[in-house]
Amino acid sequence: MSEMFINLILSLLLGIIIGLERGVRTQKNIGEIVGIRTFGFIALFGALSGYVGIYFHYSFTVVSLFCLSIFLTTLYIMEVKIERGVGATTVVVAFITFIIGVLIALDFRVISIALTVIVAFLLSLKPKLHGFIERIEDVELYAMLKFLLITVCVLPFLPNKNYGPWEAFNPFQIWFFVVLIAGLSFIGYVFIKFLGPKKGILITSVFGGLASSTALTISMSKISKNYSNPQIVFSGILIAWSIMFLRVLAISVIINDKLFNYLIFPVIFMFLLFIVLATLFWLIFSNNKKLIYQNLDKDYKQIFDNPLQLSTAFKFGLLLLIIIYLTHVFKFYFEDAGIYIISLISGIIDVDAIAISVSDLSRKNIDLITASKAIVLASFMNTIFKGMFVLFTASKKLNKYTLYVLAIIIVAGIIYFFCC
């Protein structure tokens, strides 16, 4: 079987894959008249015109594309007049399908297959994307656009040089760190807003830990007062704490990948420890296996601020500036002990800021062991602080369990600091 014949068959199959989604919509009476066969033939047409262009003259491929554009324009005019033609999306996808066929003729098989999968996947997401857009509030949209504007238009022009005492302040790096944290938090924020409360404690806790484990702890502590077995809610809090350790690992490694080997063991240990504890609480105290997936809409109050709001970003940027300055001050006067002191203090406020500061400092002035210990200690302190909040604000039924968990965390922290 010749190579050309294989490519022609492949182009036809890829076109059919794209046409499947359009064909499904046709069956649902959405009004599309360009379906499975048509898209298959468009891809095949692209491959044939590509081969003719290769063996004779490239102008034939250009003319073929022009003819396709006339055909699709006619169908689109039908859509406008009789509402039985094709939509703008179908027109664009048809052009992409033709190009995929041409790429097959040029032996770009991997790219063509990847494009086909991406296009088909995006087409299938139409209902979900529309639902997502409908639920975005104007305030969130404006915050997102303003943040992206000052990031794209400001970040490239910030000086990438060190200024101030100990040359500790780099405008470009500081704003890049703000963008990094806001981006990670926004991913969790989006999932919490559109999935969390409706999917129950488990999903809420996972993505809440990504957005802000502190904010989730505050929210879940309030919810626990309304549960007959608040230990299930506490298991959700523990899951969020476990995700926080993974988040810190990701932030630190992005800034200095050499920290990975030093952080991976304590982070994975704490992650697994909290997962095991959360599982135990659920297995022991849950009398309904579906409880952890219970809809929390009636109880859950959205307390996560949009991390892309300028006010939120600037507040974190200011906090980061302060932490970076204090880290250098403590390092200068107290050496490595100073790094540990500032990590313990700042860990109470925000673990992200100290993780960024120490990770950045590990590329210049401190060794990787000291940096990794400081980051882990800040994470321990942040977790202990959240545990104290649960102890004093959550359901009283959780007090002894919270004390047990805090004792385990403190012992684990002491063992890590003095034995590792």
Side-chain angles (χ1 to χ4, degrees), residues 231 234 281 285 397-406:
Q231 295 86 353
F234 190 48
F281 276 109
F285 295 101
K397 294 181 180 180
L398 293 179
N399 283 358
K400 66 176 181 179
Y401 304 110
T402 304
L403 288 173
Y404 293 155
V405 172
L406 285 174

Side-chain angles (χ1 to χ4, degrees), residues 105-399:
L106 297 174
D107 282 332
F108 291 105
R109 291 182 180 179
V110 175
I111 295 177
S112 300
I113 295 172
L115 281 175
T116 300
V117 173
I118 292 172
V119 169
F121 177 71
L122 289 176
L123 288 173
S124 68
L125 287 179
K126 179 180 178 179
K128 295 185 180 296
L129 290 175
H130 283 195
F132 175 78
I133 293 173
E134 290 174 358
R135 296 184 63 182
I136 293 179
E137 299 177 6
D138 290 341
V139 175
E140 295 171 334
L141 178 61
Y142 294 146
M144 187 187 311
L145 293 176
K146 285 189 292 185
F147 186 83
L148 291 175
L149 179 65
I150 65 170
T151 298
V152 175
C153 298
V154 174
L155 182 61
F157 300 100
L158 290 174
N160 193 5
K161 296 181 180 180
N162 297 323
Y163 299 95
W166 302 286
E167 296 185 343
F169 304 109
N170 185 310
F172 179 88
Q173 285 187 353
I174 289 174
W175 189 246
F176 171 78
F177 295 148
V178 172
V179 172
L180 171 65
I181 297 302
L184 288 174
S185 300
F186 187 69
I187 294 173
Y189 171 82
V190 169
F191 279 101
I192 282 292
K193 182 176 178 62
F194 297 103
L195 291 180
K198 294 184 178 297
K199 298 297 182 180
I201 294 174
L202 179 62
I203 300 299
T204 302
S205 300
V206 170
F207 292 112
L210 180 61
S212 172
S213 58
T214 301
L216 182 131
T217 300
I218 294 172
S219 179
M220 288 294 192
S221 295
K222 296 177 181 178
I223 291 176
S224 68
K225 296 180 179 180
N226 301 323
Y227 267 65
S228 58
N229 48 351
Q231 295 86 353
I232 302 301
V233 180
F234 190 48
S235 69
I237 293 174
L238 294 176
I239 291 173
W241 293 358
S242 71
I243 299 298
M244 184 271 291
F245 276 88
L246 295 182
R247 172 188 166 114
V248 170
L249 173 65
I251 292 170
S252 303
V253 171
I254 288 174
I255 297 172
N256 186 356
D257 58 354
K258 294 180 180 179
L259 286 169
F260 179 82
N261 292 333
Y262 297 87
L263 288 174
I264 186 64
F265 173 75
V267 166
I268 294 301
F269 175 79
M270 293 306 298
F271 170 77
L272 294 177
L273 174 63
F274 285 127
I275 292 297
V276 170
L277 290 174
T279 303
L280 288 176
F281 276 109
W282 180 65
L283 292 176
I284 294 173
F285 295 101
S286 176
N287 51 18
N288 182 355
K289 293 184 178 181
K290 295 182 179 179
L291 185 60
I292 201 167
Y293 302 104
Q294 178 180 335
N295 192 324
L296 297 177
D297 272 350
K298 295 181 180 179
D299 302 316
Y300 187 81
K301 292 183 179 180
Q302 183 59 264
I303 61 172
F304 293 100
D305 291 330
N306 185 347
L308 298 187
Q309 288 181 349
L310 295 185
S311 58
T312 303
F314 285 135
K315 287 177 183 176
F316 179 77
L318 179 60
L319 175 64
L320 182 58
L321 279 172
I322 296 172
I323 296 298
I324 288 175
Y325 177 73
L326 291 178
T327 302
H328 282 80
V329 169
F330 276 69
K331 167 63 178 174
F332 180 79
Y333 286 105
F334 305 103
E335 298 184 342
D336 288 350
I339 299 295
Y340 298 141
I341 294 172
I342 190 62
S343 294
L344 290 172
I345 295 173
S346 60
I348 298 175
I349 305 170
D350 190 291
V351 70
D352 291 337
I354 187 62
I356 289 173
S357 178
V358 173
S359 298
D360 185 53
L361 199 61
S362 68
R363 299 186 300 181
K364 313 166 189 174
N365 301 325
I366 61 175
D367 61 87
L368 295 174
I369 295 178
T370 301
S372 60
K373 282 190 173 183
I375 293 169
V376 174
L377 286 177
S379 302
F380 274 117
M381 181 56 66
N382 185 264
T383 306
I384 291 172
F385 171 74
K386 288 180 292 194
M388 296 298 293
F389 184 89
V390 173
L391 186 63
F392 289 107
T393 63
S395 170
K396 299 302 180 184
K397 294 181 180 180
L398 293 179
N399 283 358

Side-chain angles (χ1 to χ4, degrees), residues 16-133:
I16 289 174
I17 290 173
I18 294 176
L20 280 173
E21 194 275 343
R22 301 287 89 180
V24 169
R25 295 195 179 280
T26 300
Q27 295 298 320
K28 292 181 179 179
N29 298 320
I30 294 180
E32 299 285 3
I33 63 174
V34 181
I36 299 175
R37 293 176 299 174
T38 306
F39 274 96
F41 288 137
I42 289 175
L44 181 60
F45 178 49
L48 288 171
S49 64
Y51 274 119
V52 173
I54 292 171
Y55 289 107
F56 294 96
H57 199 275
Y58 69 89
S59 60
F60 183 86
T61 306
V62 176
V63 172
S64 299
L65 182 60
F66 178 72
C67 293
L68 178 65
S69 67
I70 294 176
F71 170 71
L72 293 174
T73 301
T74 303
L75 291 182
Y76 190 73
I77 292 173
M78 291 172 59
E79 164 71 16
V80 175
K81 289 186 176 181
I82 63 175
E83 298 184 356
R84 190 70 180 94
V86 299
T89 301
T90 302
V91 172
V92 174
V93 172
F95 278 114
I96 295 175
T97 305
F98 177 86
I99 297 300
I100 288 174
V102 175
L103 289 174
I104 289 291
L106 297 174
D107 282 332
F108 291 105
R109 291 182 180 179
V110 175
I111 295 177
S112 300
I113 295 172
L115 281 175
T116 300
V117 173
I118 292 172
V119 169
F121 177 71
L122 289 176
L123 288 173
S124 68
L125 287 179
K126 179 180 178 179
K128 295 185 180 296
L129 290 175
H130 283 195
F132 175 78
I133 293 173

